[in-house]
Amino acid sequence: MPPSKILVTQGGGPTAVINQSMVGVVLEARRQAGVSAVYGARHGVRGILNEDFVDLAQETSHNLELVAQTPSSALGSTRDKPDAAYCHKIFQVLQAHGITHFFNIGGNDSSDSTRIISEEAAAANYPLRCIHIPKTIDNDLVLNDHTPGFASAARFVAQAFAGANLDNAALPGVYVGVVMGRHAGFLTAASALGKKFPDDGPHLIYLPERVFELERFLADVKTMFDRHGRCVIAVSEGIHDASGQPIAAQLAKDLERDAHGNVQLSGNGALADLLCEEIKSRLGIKRVRGDTFGYLQRSFIGCVSDVDQREAREVGEKAVQFAFHGAGGRSSGSVAIKRTGTYSVDYELLPLADVAGKTRVMEDEFISPCGTHVTDAFRLYLRPLLGSGMPDAFRLRPNAVPKILNRG
Amino acid sequence: MPPSKILVTQGGGPTAVINQSMVGVVLEARRQAGVSAVYGARHGVRGILNEDFVDLAQETSHNLELVAQTPSSALGSTRDKPDAAYCHKIFQVLQAHGITHFFNIGGNDSSDSTRIISEEAAAANYPLRCIHIPKTIDNDLVLNDHTPGFASAARFVAQAFAGANLDNAALPGVYVGVVMGRHAGFLTAASALGKKFPDDGPHLIYLPERVFELERFLADVKTMFDRHGRCVIAVSEGIHDASGQPIAAQLAKDLERDAHGNVQLSGNGALADLLCEEIKSRLGIKRVRGDTFGYLQRSFIGCVSDVDQREAREVGEKAVQFAFHGAGGRSSGSVAIKRTGTYSVDYELLPLADVAGKTRVMEDEFISPCGTHVTDAFRLYLRPLLGSGMPDAFRLRPNAVPKILNRG
């Protein structure tokens, strides 16, 4: 058998644990007999196009372990979404370098380009094994219990809302936190795990799985504000009206701003600011504050789930094991996480076509009937993923001192 | 001697460690002989006005220790800035309840109201000891080496920029992070502690201590982007032009928006979004992203400096010790942190008038001559405050693989 040559890439938005998967591939590949090269491509598939490879056989195990614990993509990433022509060029480079095993760590787009490259190789009768390794903070890959990277981002969101709730309790008002997730609300829903006491926020959660109606939103906020004297709200950046139009675009239009010009409607603070303005002007509430979690939620260093780290490492390691020792005779595929207990997981290799380019959204059983909160099923689903050492919030108990002056 | 009655309040913006100070007061007060009551007022000075007191002598030590580790103000806070009439009413309530010792945890405004209340009591010949306990993430209290709450917020900012830098390196472009601090740039400057390798961001830091010029800013960004292929920028929300006008107001005006109407210029994402639009339109850079750290930086649960926790506890404890055992015969005062070694601190009780209502800004020795970064003196000043267990970032070492096709 000719020696094997390994190539690993990282694509799409970085996560806190994507380097665990890369290091899982590298260390496991270096253990395999007959491996003559372990390369990484710089900045994902673009790095393949440019033949921009780094020799990972020359990296120390010690540094690899430290890189594994560092968030974001150590090889660099890309937003390129390869079409068939792009994939063909990529395949030519893989062929020139004699790559036998291609490991692509990424989300939906990456799974799809892995599939196309795999098909290119088959058509050319070139023996290339293509393994997609799951990664996305959006948790929107089908047939996976969850995806590496989601748990750490979810932990950030839960901790952020736990803190925002305490802040809002100290200085009451309305707080709007906008969370990433265009189509799937998992990350926004994670805000519910920041709630401890019955009157804690988030009091309302708006997900892209449900149609957003401004009038109902304002009524919901008023109800909660009247009940608690304050209101903490989690909003997905992907909320939209019944026609599918993003709410940010709709509000910007209502305010007679140029929605197509300078004002970008995502990746900035527009949605939070626009919702806050509606609450202020329509409900007459004075103290209204909005935060857009932006890049903090996926890149913050020092807020990571140990469960997420372990599983991200394992999907990388398993990818190599599947590639070298087969998985039901499948030569290519997508590694998927299956939940086998409370809490334990195992991994399997699915056909690329079963995962590629498909989007999972939150299951109905995870969303409360009112549509503005999550169910216990979701809490039970998410809690073990957040890992150990979750910070907890405590309160003083009420022991009121009788009034003397009582001037009210 | 008649029994002593203690009242403690928390004012202004919450911090991650303000409850440490409250608990420091309560536990130390409960240890003092002759103390018959330990009260807390709900929502700061407003709670005094409303006689909204909680009996902290009935709280368990165990729960107090857990509350101490919980961020935000467990007693609630207020933004009320008492004038002389308000302070007079407060004094009447303190007198009615026979309060002998008043401990007010807060920033500049709190130190000033403590001073006024102390003077009211003296004028009325009422024996009230008034102690101001320092707290502010802005680090802008004079005569303090630093203030409790700053270190934990600074740690959040440093960790956030360490992560944002890694994200920006993986997907290159321009990143703008807007940090709290209207007058003092300490918290924005803390972003520099997220930098490890020479080409890491933040590449540029804009502080309210220096005049902000848009043209120079754009030129700076262009220089860094040309040099690194990317640029990470830390911006204080308080940046202003030579006339003192906030930059957000100036940019909003340039864009012909209503700066006095619906668009609020702070506490939202406007400044980051406006700066990003300038960079995109003027420099033609495509990938430009802005985050406004907002409330996350002061309320996030699970990102705290152990040094900050310890000192916040100690200023509360020392406040009671100063009040009961005197400090150079001073009956009232403001507790201040003094640095005595690398790294160690001690505390002293300063006259209230020396601290009250004064604002410290960053010393010139902390700002680099170019005005857009910090000096080593600042790094040495800040590093010990961030505490133990700061996460670290690691890179793959460059080991390029020779090209074969070389079509690049």
Side-chain angles (χ1 to χ4, degrees), chain A residues 388-407:
Chain A
S388 59
M390 273 292 285
D392 198 358
F394 295 86
R395 289 184 179 184
L396 294 170
R397 299 190 182 95
N399 291 295
V401 175
K403 296 188 180 193
I404 295 172
L405 292 179
N406 213 7
R407 295 188 292 203

Side-chain angles (χ1 to χ4, degrees), chain A residues 62-99:
Chain A
H62 194 73
N63 197 48
L64 282 170
E65 289 295 351
L66 294 169
V67 168
Q69 289 176 46
T70 302
S72 191
S73 313
L75 285 168
S77 192
T78 180
R79 284 289 181 194
D80 281 7
K81 294 177 187 177
D83 55 14
Y86 194 115
C87 286
H88 183 71
K89 281 186 195 164
I90 284 176
F91 171 66
Q92 289 175 329
V93 177
L94 298 179
Q95 198 167 20
H97 283 264
I99 301 297

Side-chain angles (χ1 to χ4, degrees), chain B residues 4-330:
Chain B
S4 301
K5 293 182 89 173
I6 309 293
L7 178 71
V8 60
T9 53
Q10 298 175 310
T15 78
V17 298
I18 189 171
N19 289 333
Q20 290 281 359
S21 298
M22 182 267 289
V23 170
V25 168
V26 173
L27 292 179
E28 186 64 12
R30 302 202 310 192
R31 284 206 317 119
Q32 301 297 321
V35 168
S36 66
V38 182
Y39 293 168
R42 291 267 184 210
H43 295 290
V45 288
R46 173 166 288 270
I48 309 182
L49 216 61
N50 298 337
E51 287 191 87
D52 191 2
F53 294 156
V54 53
D55 186 350
L56 294 169
Q58 294 188 49
E59 187 55 89
T60 65
S61 306
H62 194 73
N63 197 48
L64 283 170
E65 288 295 350
L66 293 169
V67 168
Q69 289 176 46
T70 303
S72 191
S73 312
L75 286 168
S77 191
T78 180
R79 284 288 181 196
D80 281 7
K81 293 176 187 178
D83 55 13
Y86 194 117
C87 286
H88 184 68
K89 283 186 194 166
I90 284 176
F91 171 64
Q92 289 175 329
V93 177
L94 298 179
Q95 199 167 20
H97 283 265
I99 301 297
T100 58
H101 295 77
F102 171 45
F103 298 93
N104 197 6
I105 310 166
N108 308 52
D109 292 326
S110 300
S111 64
D112 209 36
S113 40
T114 313
R115 178 186 63 79
I116 300 173
I117 293 164
S118 167
E119 288 168 6
E120 279 277 332
N125 215 15
Y126 179 85
L128 179 69
R129 296 202 149 183
C130 298
I131 312 281
H132 167 245
I133 298 169
K135 173 272 347 173
T136 167
I137 64 165
D138 294 333
N139 202 36
D140 62 352
L141 286 179
V142 298
L143 302 177
N144 282 268
D145 180 74
H146 59 281
T147 55
F150 165 61
S152 295
R155 183 171 172 139
F156 182 92
V157 169
Q159 291 187 204
F161 271 92
N165 171 67
L166 290 164
D167 198 294
N168 184 261
L171 289 171
V174 175
Y175 177 84
V176 177
V178 172
V179 181
M180 278 185 176
R182 292 291 173 88
H183 305 294
F186 289 103
L187 199 54
T188 306
S191 62
L193 279 282
K195 189 177 157 83
K196 175 175 173 174
F197 294 99
D199 59 338
D200 274 344
H203 305 99
L204 297 166
I205 301 175
Y206 294 90
L207 307 163
E209 283 82 357
R210 296 289 179 266
V211 169
F212 183 91
E213 293 169 45
L214 184 61
E215 295 307 316
R216 207 197 130 190
F217 167 77
L218 291 169
D220 291 344
V221 174
K222 188 177 182 323
T223 301
M224 289 300 164
F225 190 80
D226 289 347
R227 185 180 304 164
H228 301 294
R230 65 191 190 93
C231 184
V232 175
I233 310 164
V235 173
S236 166
E237 62 175 1
I239 54 167
H240 54 81
D241 65 16
S243 74
Q245 190 190 28
I247 296 304
Q250 187 191 306
L251 290 176
K253 203 175 144 199
D254 289 353
L255 291 168
E256 294 183 74
R257 290 192 193 162
D258 178 11
H260 310 283
N262 281 323
V263 184
Q264 192 189 330
L265 293 171
S266 64
N268 62 22
L271 179 58
D273 293 349
L274 293 166
L275 288 174
C276 286
E277 283 170 44
E278 290 287 334
I279 294 167
K280 264 185 240 176
S281 63
R282 298 282 305 279
L283 299 183
I285 298 171
K286 225 175 146 184
R287 190 181 153 76
V288 183
R289 299 287 184 269
D291 281 338
T292 303
F293 289 5
Y295 291 88
L296 297 183
Q297 65 203 308
R298 80 174 187 201
S299 301
F300 193 80
I301 193 169
C303 179
V304 65
S305 155
D306 52 358
V307 170
D308 199 17
Q309 287 183 308
R310 186 173 71 224
E311 293 175 352
R313 173 67 72 98
E314 285 193 299
V315 290
E317 194 176 341
K318 286 304 298 179
V320 174
Q321 292 175 357
F322 283 137
F324 278 81
H325 309 298
R330 198 164 285 140

Side-chain angles (χ1 to χ4, degrees), chain A residues 37-114:
Chain A
V38 182
Y39 294 168
R42 291 267 184 211
H43 296 289
V45 287
R46 174 166 288 270
I48 308 181
L49 217 61
N50 298 336
E51 288 190 88
D52 191 2
F53 295 156
V54 52
D55 187 350
L56 295 169
Q58 295 188 51
E59 186 56 87
T60 66
S61 307
H62 194 73
N63 197 48
L64 282 170
E65 289 295 351
L66 294 169
V67 168
Q69 289 176 46
T70 302
S72 191
S73 313
L75 285 168
S77 192
T78 180
R79 284 289 181 194
D80 281 7
K81 294 177 187 177
D83 55 14
Y86 194 115
C87 286
H88 183 71
K89 281 186 195 164
I90 284 176
F91 171 66
Q92 289 175 329
V93 177
L94 298 179
Q95 198 167 20
H97 283 264
I99 301 297
T100 58
H101 296 75
F102 171 45
F103 298 93
N104 197 6
I105 310 166
N108 308 52
D109 294 327
S110 299
S111 63
D112 209 37
S113 41
T114 313

Side-chain angles (χ1 to χ4, degrees), chain A residues 42-310:
Chain A
R42 291 267 184 211
H43 296 289
V45 287
R46 174 166 288 270
I48 308 181
L49 217 61
N50 298 336
E51 288 190 88
D52 191 2
F53 295 156
V54 52
D55 187 350
L56 295 169
Q58 295 188 51
E59 186 56 87
T60 66
S61 307
H62 194 73
N63 197 48
L64 282 170
E65 289 295 351
L66 294 169
V67 168
Q69 289 176 46
T70 302
S72 191
S73 313
L75 285 168
S77 192
T78 180
R79 284 289 181 194
D80 281 7
K81 294 177 187 177
D83 55 14
Y86 194 115
C87 286
H88 183 71
K89 281 186 195 164
I90 284 176
F91 171 66
Q92 289 175 329
V93 177
L94 298 179
Q95 198 167 20
H97 283 264
I99 301 297
T100 58
H101 296 75
F102 171 45
F103 298 93
N104 197 6
I105 310 166
N108 308 52
D109 294 327
S110 299
S111 63
D112 209 37
S113 41
T114 313
R115 178 186 62 81
I116 301 174
I117 293 163
S118 167
E119 290 168 4
E120 280 276 333
N125 214 15
Y126 179 86
L128 179 68
R129 298 202 147 183
C130 298
I131 311 282
H132 167 245
I133 298 170
K135 172 271 351 172
T136 166
I137 64 166
D138 294 333
N139 201 37
D140 62 352
L141 285 180
V142 297
L143 302 177
N144 281 268
D145 179 76
H146 58 279
T147 54
F150 165 62
S152 295
R155 183 171 172 139
F156 182 92
V157 169
Q159 291 187 204
F161 271 91
N165 171 67
L166 291 164
D167 198 292
N168 184 261
L171 289 171
V174 175
Y175 177 83
V176 178
V178 172
V179 181
M180 277 185 176
R182 292 290 171 90
H183 306 292
F186 290 103
L187 199 54
T188 306
S191 61
L193 279 283
K195 188 176 159 82
K196 175 176 175 173
F197 295 99
D199 60 336
D200 274 345
H203 305 98
L204 297 166
I205 301 176
Y206 294 91
L207 306 164
E209 283 82 357
R210 295 290 178 264
V211 170
F212 183 91
E213 294 167 47
L214 184 61
E215 295 308 316
R216 206 196 131 191
F217 168 77
L218 291 170
D220 291 344
V221 174
K222 189 178 181 321
T223 301
M224 290 299 164
F225 191 79
D226 289 347
R227 185 180 303 164
H228 301 294
R230 64 191 191 91
C231 186
V232 175
I233 310 164
V235 174
S236 165
E237 64 175 0
I239 55 167
H240 55 80
D241 65 17
S243 74
Q245 190 190 27
I247 296 303
Q250 185 191 307
L251 291 176
K253 203 177 147 196
D254 289 353
L255 291 168
E256 295 182 74
R257 290 190 192 162
D258 177 12
H260 309 283
N262 281 324
V263 184
Q264 190 189 333
L265 293 172
S266 64
N268 62 22
L271 179 58
D273 294 349
L274 292 166
L275 288 174
C276 287
E277 282 171 43
E278 291 289 332
I279 295 167
K280 265 186 238 174
S281 62
R282 298 281 304 280
L283 299 182
I285 299 171
K286 225 174 145 185
R287 190 181 153 77
V288 183
R289 300 287 185 269
D291 280 338
T292 303
F293 289 6
Y295 291 87
L296 297 183
Q297 65 202 309
R298 78 174 188 204
S299 302
F300 193 79
I301 192 169
C303 179
V304 67
S305 155
D306 51 359
V307 170
D308 198 18
Q309 286 183 310
R310 186 175 68 223

